[in-house]
Structures are given as structure tokens and as C-alpha cells.
Amino acid sequence: MTEFQRHRRLRKTAGIRAMVKETYLHKEDLIYPIFVAEGENIRNEVKSMPGVFQFSIDRLAEEVDEVVELGIPSVILFGLPLEKDEIGSQAFHDHGIVQEGIRFIKNRHPELVVIADTCLCEYTDHGHCGVVDANEQILNDPSLDLLAKTAISQAKAGADIIAPSNMMDGFVTAIRQGLDEAGFADVPIMSYAVKYASAYYGPFREAADGAPKFGDRKTYQMDYSNRMEAIREATSDIEEGADMLIVKPALSYLDIIRDVRNNFDVPIVAYNVSGEYAMVKAAAINGWINEKETVLETLTGMKRAGADIILTYHAKDVARWLEEK
């Protein structure tokens, strides 16, 4: 008989498979998103994202206490203000909802790493991530000053990491300079460097009440057909002072995660977005898939593609499953 390789030898038993396992998923890899809403006694489940809630500050303890108890080391905050205006002024208000959320969490759990999403879309009455002129054009440079003000106010509130998600040209430069001049040179920037204009964001726009009131975001978020553009965007952000790079979404962009991993030696974050979460949840609720095995396989795939960190709405469930294992 012709000789051939017996690869199955290393799959023979669970012990051998564990011995040769190449990629691991850990609790330390996880960032859990939290939606903080102005008001009182709010704990509203997002209909399109079962298990995900909007919390007012007075109900926030029950969420962050659970996160800490599960051993998840980091959260990222998104805000739902009561008032919106044309420049998103609540984004950079010293007592804005995210700023108050940061203070509450850092006071209650100082060891928890708190990341602040830095954008304007949740705070503008038009729903776009920058200043808009009379012709409904998103103005790049005037938006940069507001984004820097937002980052500074979040750092003042105690944010450990600033995560700008707006995709304006030069946003890392503006924020890095603003933080440095304000005395926050040690606060790192986790840049949404590679952010595609994606249909997978639908449920998030319900959760954060941030859908644009006109047009779309394709003049500033990336075309999902493009690959080399991701390297150009990431290169710019690194040169401008980014400390970590986010690729968003993750599941349909594993090739991009690998490209970014191969080209840059900073931590890479995969954002497992709302639509990816909602699809799994819907299929699991209908009994079409095994939720636990599907989620663990999916997130391990993101790690295998090159992600160091995964920002995911599945984080609490994953932490429980990992504890079981």
C-alpha cells in the first residue's frame, strides 16, 4: 500500500486533542458592551438582541457586578442621552451619560477596565458621526474638534481607554493631541481603524438609537468590497498614534483581521457586532443551532484569524461556558 500521513493520530482522544490545540479563547480576551441610558429605573431589553439591555445609572450596578463576578476584565460604554442636537453636545458634556457611567463604574469597580466609545452619532439629532452642513454633507475637519473634546471629557471622567469609532480622516491625530495637551498622555487609543459600512449594524442602531436620519454612512465608513483600503486606514491610525486597532465587523472580515495582524504588531481587536450576535441568538431560540458550540467556534475563529481581543455581546455567556470547561 502507498504510504500516507496518519493525521488522525493526533485526534484520537480528548487528551491528545487538548495537547496539540493551537488556539485558545480566554476570559481575558473579552470586552463586553454596555448601553447606558439617561433616566431612572431603566432596564430595557433590546428586542433584536435578546439578553442585551439598556440600563440607567441607578440600575447599572446589577450589570457591572455580574460582569466582574464572571471575570470579564473590560467593558465599553455606549450612551443614550435624553437630548440631542446638531453637534452632539451631550457627547462631550462633563456630566453626559457616558461620563456619568464611567464615574459610577470606576467608583464601584476600580479594577474593571472601562473603554469609552468616542463618537457623535448617538448624540446628534441627524444621527451622523460628524458635523453636517446645510447640504447634508458630513464635514470632516470641523468634526475633529468635537471628537477631541469628547475624548478629553471621557478621560476626565476616568475612562481607561478611548475608542473613537467615527471614521473621520485625522481623528486619531486630533484625539491624541487633545488628550496629550489635557494631561492624558497615558490614556491609550483603541481605534476603530478598519470599520466597514455594514448591514450587520442594524440591531445596534436600535440599541443605541443611533440610526442616521438621512442618507447613509458610506462617505466615511469603508466599502465592504475593499481589502487594501484596510491597510491604508490602519497605517494612518498607527502613524497618528493609535495603540490598538479594531476591525469591525468580524465574522465576514476574518481575512481583514489576518491582513491587519500580519502587518501591524499592536493588539488587534475583533468587533463581533450586533447583527452577528442577533443571527446566532435567533437561530438558537428556534432550535436550529447549538448556541454554545456555535459561539465558541465563531470566536475561536476570530482568535485564529489574528485577533488578540474580542469585543462581543456574547461575553457573559462565553465567560460562563469557559468556566464550565
Side-chain angles (χ1 to χ4, degrees):
M1 179 181 293
T2 304
E3 285 297 319
F4 53 86
Q5 296 295 317
R6 295 192 179 275
H7 300 289
R8 291 180 57 196
R9 289 170 180 158
L10 298 185
R11 304 171 193 150
K12 184 177 179 180
T13 67
I16 293 174
R17 291 193 296 273
M19 182 183 296
V20 300
K21 186 174 182 177
E22 299 176 24
T23 306
Y24 287 86
L25 186 64
H26 302 288
K27 291 183 182 181
E28 290 77 12
D29 303 330
L30 304 174
I31 299 171
Y32 184 61
I34 297 178
F35 297 95
V36 189
E38 281 194 291
E40 295 181 354
N41 197 30
I42 296 171
R43 186 182 181 272
N44 297 332
E45 187 170 27
V46 181
K47 291 181 180 179
S48 57
M49 300 176 68
V52 173
F53 295 81
Q54 302 162 336
F55 290 92
S56 53
I57 298 292
D58 60 325
R59 297 291 300 273
L60 190 55
E62 57 196 86
E63 180 78 322
V64 295
D65 289 355
E66 182 181 21
V67 167
V68 170
E69 183 179 349
L70 288 169
I72 298 168
S74 178
V75 296
I76 183 167
L77 298 190
F78 300 94
L80 287 87
L82 288 175
E83 298 180 6
K84 302 187 179 191
D85 56 37
E86 61 182 7
I87 62 169
S89 60
Q90 288 299 307
F92 48 86
H93 195 289
D94 282 343
H95 295 284
I97 183 58
V98 163
Q99 288 80 357
E100 291 300 315
I102 294 167
R103 292 187 183 97
F104 177 86
I105 294 173
K106 294 304 292 185
N107 181 63
R108 189 173 184 88
H109 294 290
E111 75 285 1
L112 190 63
V113 176
V114 178
I115 305 165
D117 178 79
T118 305
C119 197
L120 303 177
C121 60
E122 297 148 44
Y123 308 91
T124 55
D125 52 16
H126 47 73
H128 279 283
C129 303
V131 176
V132 174
D133 68 10
N135 297 316
E136 296 187 344
Q137 300 297 308
I138 292 83
L139 304 179
N140 193 90
D141 294 9
S143 303
L144 299 180
D145 291 339
L146 302 182
L147 293 165
K149 288 177 65 176
T150 301
I152 293 166
S153 70
Q154 293 167 337
K156 285 181 179 178
D160 296 292
I161 299 172
I162 298 299
S165 59
N166 56 90
M167 288 296 285
M168 296 294 115
D169 291 337
F171 70 93
V172 175
T173 291
I175 289 172
R176 184 72 273 160
Q177 182 176 340
L179 289 172
D180 291 353
E181 291 177 354
F184 298 105
D186 291 336
V187 174
I189 294 175
M190 177 187 287
S191 171
Y192 286 70
V194 182
K195 183 178 180 180
Y196 286 89
S198 173
Y200 286 100
Y201 302 153
F204 176 88
R205 290 171 181 172
E206 177 195 350
D209 189 26
K213 298 301 186 290
F214 64 86
D216 53 41
R217 294 175 176 152
K218 293 181 179 179
T219 66
Y220 44 104
Q221 295 179 1
M222 293 170 49
D223 184 337
Y224 61 72
S225 305
N226 294 350
R227 184 174 181 178
M228 296 306 299
E229 184 181 6
I231 302 303
R232 295 197 299 271
E233 287 280 359
T235 299
S236 294
D237 286 9
I238 290 294
E239 291 174 348
E240 293 173 17
D243 301 282
M244 293 176 268
L245 301 174
I246 298 176
V247 177
K248 179 184 180 184
L251 189 55
S252 293
Y253 300 85
L254 298 177
D255 60 323
I256 307 301
I257 294 172
R258 173 47 58 185
D259 285 346
V260 175
R261 170 75 288 155
N262 288 344
N263 281 274
F264 304 97
D265 60 359
V266 299
I268 307 300
V269 183
Y271 194 148
N272 179 213
V273 300
S274 60
E276 297 166 357
Y277 173 89
M279 290 190 303
V280 171
K281 280 291 183 181
I285 288 169
N286 280 283
W288 298 335
I289 61 171
N290 180 310
E291 181 179 2
K292 173 182 174 181
E293 294 304 321
T294 301
V295 172
L296 293 177
E297 179 180 345
T298 300
L299 269 57
T300 300
M302 294 171 192
K303 287 289 298 291
R304 191 182 64 247
D308 302 289
I309 302 164
I310 301 174
L311 199 166
T312 179
Y313 304 94
H314 293 291
K316 292 196 296 183
D317 286 334
V318 170
R320 294 187 187 98
W321 296 330
L322 292 177
E323 191 67 31
E324 292 171 5
K325 295 179 71 173

